[in-house]
Structure formats: structure tokens, C-alpha cells
Amino acid sequence: MNTVMTKACPPPIDKAVVFIVGSPRSGTTILGEMLGRHQCICQWYEPYFIWDHHFRHWPHDERSAEDARPAVVAQIRRDFRRYRDRSGASLIVDKSPRNSLKIPFIKAIFPHARFIHLIRDGRDATLSIHREWQRRRQIVNDPARHRRFNYGRAFGVLQDWLGRQPLWQDRLRSLWFETHGHLVDKRKHLNRKRWQGAVGWGPRFRGWERQYDDNRLLRFNALQWLKCVEAVRDAWDSIPPSRRLDVRYEDMLRDGRRIVSEIIAFTGLDASGSFLDGLPEMNKNNFNKWQREFTPDQLNMVRSVLDPMLGRLGYDIAYPG
């Protein structure tokens, strides 16, 4: 996170926040990190301990405008203002895929916020979501440790997650929020309290329990992509065009500097040549992995979930054979 103090008086917090929304594994992390290199921007990586302070025991991650009660609004705005003031930046970029399910709620708290929807081919996103679920299941039942819990790998996940909070105050708050009451209980590690004891990851859409019980995991992961994208598209027209921006992950792979420059302009800032030259290179071949890695049976399992939205978004769903 940038720590350079800006000389200009920062705008009111309501006009100083940009939200990157979209399904997990759609490139939101790398986009947030690139924007966070700008001297006037501080990125806030998934501050769920802020968003869910009043909703810790809710069974899903969806929020409505009615959920933005006065105490909730005051707490979230206060925490965002504190984070911006501590960073010395003028603009906060919040990268939180679960916020895809909260746009009416966010708008009620920050009526003048800007939104960036990062869209990725749902087949590639589903493949990557599925890998993360498998990784976490292997930590809990590690084949190399006779199906026992791997504390070392679990600690690595925790360390990486806490390390993304630049302020020690937020690391402690995040740790307390996520582990309160079960810090030494391995049966609840890796977000299992969120998933009713199961090993899970990512957004919980309303009614996820029925889908998780009734469908195989890969199909459930496809539903996670779909529900996030549907929620954003359903809310999109309620956001003024000047405060919303669609970005394709595949376009970012092809021409990242141009896309980031357009995003910076969208936020109302300027992108200097030195800023753009310092952006990391992206793997231009990081797309269409599903064509190589999905088996025919796996592809058939997710097509009925993904294809209607993929077609609506303009992706090619004409499969060979």
C-alpha cells in the first residue's frame, strides 16, 4: 500500500471509494495490486471483518439496502475513513469478490462510490475456484500425512491472508473476527465455521446449503461464479454510467497497461508514464485453460450453469462436436 502523503485535501469518504467486484478468480487480486501502486491509491484487500462486523453469524453473504442500518453505516464509513487517513492516500480501492452480492448495501452506505466489474470467462474462473477448494480440502485431509490435518499449510494460508492487511490493527481485528472462539479448534479452521463445518471457500449466495448438498462440487463452484455475475448485472443499471465500468480479464491480459490507464482515468486520477512502466507483466496465455483441463464429463456438468450467462456476456459457447 502506498504510504506517500498527498498534499491535496482528500475528497469526502463517500466519493473516495472504488469497488472491484466480480467472481473470485477473475483477476480481482492482480487488478487491485496494480491500482494500489498508484501514489494516490491505497488498496484494501478483502476487509470482510469490516463489512461483516454486524453480520458475522449470517448464513449467507448477500446484503440489501435495508440491511444498511444507521449503526452499520456509521461503523463502515468510520473504518474506511480511518484506513484512508492512515494510508495518506486520497482514494481507497476495495477488492472483495463477496461484495458482488452486496451492491445495493454498498450503495446505501457509499451513494457516490464507483464500481469496476471485472469479468472473466466463467469456465476458467470455475476451474480456478475448484482448485482452491481442492487445495483447502487437502490441507484438512492431507494425503501425505495419512489424511490428517496439515497445520503447516494451514498456517501458511493464515499468514498470507493476514499479510495482506498493511496495518497491524487490522491484522489483529481480522484474526479475531475470523477465529474468535475457535483459534485452536482445527475442526473450524479454514472458514469451516462459515460453511457449517464443511471445508469451503468464496462467496455464499442465498440458498447455497441446498445447492451444496444437491450438486457435485464443480457444479457448485460454477454456481458461485454465476451468482456473483448475476448479482452484479442485476444491480448495474441502478448505478449511473459515469460510476460503473466493465473490464474484461482477457483484455487485461492482452493490453494491461492500456486497461489500467483507462481505469485510472475512470477513478478521476492521472496515470503517469512511470506508474504504467512499473506495472507487472501478466501471463498473456492465462485463458482458455478449461479447454485443456476439463474432461468432457466435467464440461457437461458446468455447461448448463455457465452457458446462458457466458452467451449473454458475449463469450463463445459453440463447442466442437
Side-chain angles (χ1 to χ4, degrees):
M1 179 187 68
N2 169 61
T3 57
V4 178
M5 294 295 293
T6 55
K7 295 181 180 179
C9 181
I13 193 63
D14 181 45
K15 298 182 179 180
V17 284
V18 177
F19 295 96
I20 302 175
V21 293
S23 161
R25 300 306 192 192
S26 292
T28 57
T29 296
I30 184 63
L31 177 57
E33 290 174 351
M34 289 194 291
L35 296 180
R37 290 170 175 258
H38 193 284
Q39 65 174 357
C40 295
I41 294 175
C42 58
Q43 185 206 185
W44 208 352
Y45 181 91
E46 301 184 4
Y48 297 127
F49 60 101
I50 301 300
W51 287 109
D52 293 339
H53 177 78
H54 289 271
F55 305 94
R56 187 170 184 270
H57 300 293
W58 274 42
H60 57 78
D61 296 318
E62 295 185 22
R63 304 286 183 271
S64 68
E66 289 72 27
D67 296 321
R69 304 184 302 274
V72 173
V73 173
Q75 171 256 314
I76 293 176
R77 289 173 67 94
R78 181 176 62 248
D79 279 314
F80 268 74
R81 189 179 299 110
R82 170 190 59 84
Y83 188 81
R84 185 193 60 179
D85 292 346
R86 289 288 302 275
S87 75
S90 58
L91 193 70
I92 295 177
V93 170
D94 177 319
K95 187 288 286 193
S96 303
R98 292 184 210 167
N99 282 351
S100 302
L101 305 177
K102 297 180 171 74
I103 291 180
F105 177 73
I106 294 172
K107 287 175 54 193
I109 299 169
F110 298 110
H112 296 95
R114 297 180 181 92
F115 293 86
I116 300 166
H117 185 197
L118 189 52
I119 303 167
R120 186 184 186 186
D121 187 322
R123 293 159 294 197
D124 279 331
T126 296
L127 176 65
S128 189
I129 293 169
H130 188 64
R131 285 176 176 168
E132 183 61 27
W133 278 69
Q134 291 177 316
R135 182 171 79 97
R136 289 171 179 257
R137 285 183 166 186
Q138 288 171 0
I139 291 173
V140 174
N141 296 292
D142 190 347
R145 296 175 60 86
H146 306 289
R147 299 291 176 182
R148 291 189 298 225
F149 191 91
N150 189 322
Y151 284 97
R153 291 181 64 189
F155 179 75
V157 171
L158 178 64
Q159 190 175 36
D160 176 70
W161 162 55
L162 291 178
R164 293 180 181 273
Q165 296 297 330
L167 303 179
W168 273 103
Q169 175 186 354
D170 288 338
R171 293 184 190 183
L172 294 175
R173 291 178 67 187
S174 181
L175 179 64
W176 180 255
F177 177 83
E178 295 289 349
T179 63
H180 177 53
H182 59 88
L183 184 60
V184 295
D185 188 349
K186 68 181 183 181
R187 295 171 300 174
K188 296 179 181 178
H189 288 179
L190 298 173
N191 287 330
R192 279 188 281 178
K193 193 166 185 177
R194 276 175 46 82
W195 294 92
Q196 299 183 354
V199 180
W201 179 80
R204 300 171 305 164
F205 50 87
R206 192 186 299 268
W208 69 267
E209 304 93 334
R210 296 186 299 275
Q211 298 291 345
Y212 186 74
D213 290 340
D214 295 340
N215 295 287
R216 284 182 283 179
L217 179 59
L218 184 62
R219 181 179 172 84
F220 182 79
N221 300 149
L223 282 167
Q224 287 182 291
W225 175 85
L226 176 64
K227 295 296 185 179
C228 285
V229 175
E230 279 184 339
V232 176
R233 302 327 293 176
D234 288 347
W236 215 231
D237 286 344
S238 69
I239 304 169
S242 62
R243 297 207 299 268
R244 68 182 195 230
L245 182 68
D246 285 322
V247 176
R248 295 293 176 123
Y249 175 76
E250 294 81 10
D251 291 340
M252 202 163 69
L253 292 182
R254 284 188 287 267
D255 196 354
R257 284 174 172 78
R258 178 182 63 82
I259 296 296
V260 171
S261 180
E262 292 175 356
I263 293 172
I264 293 295
F266 166 73
T267 68
L269 300 173
D270 295 322
S272 67
S274 59
F275 163 72
L276 294 174
D277 290 342
L279 295 178
E281 292 291 337
M282 298 187 67
N283 179 2
K284 296 182 181 299
N285 297 315
N286 194 31
F287 67 98
N288 284 345
K289 288 186 175 181
W290 65 270
Q291 293 182 355
R292 301 185 297 274
E293 301 193 31
F294 275 156
T295 67
D297 286 344
Q298 288 176 320
L299 185 57
N300 287 334
M301 187 188 304
V302 299
R303 280 191 61 184
S304 61
V305 176
L306 301 177
D307 280 6
M309 180 59 74
L310 286 172
R312 179 179 164 189
L313 294 173
Y315 286 97
D316 184 5
I317 55 173
Y319 299 90

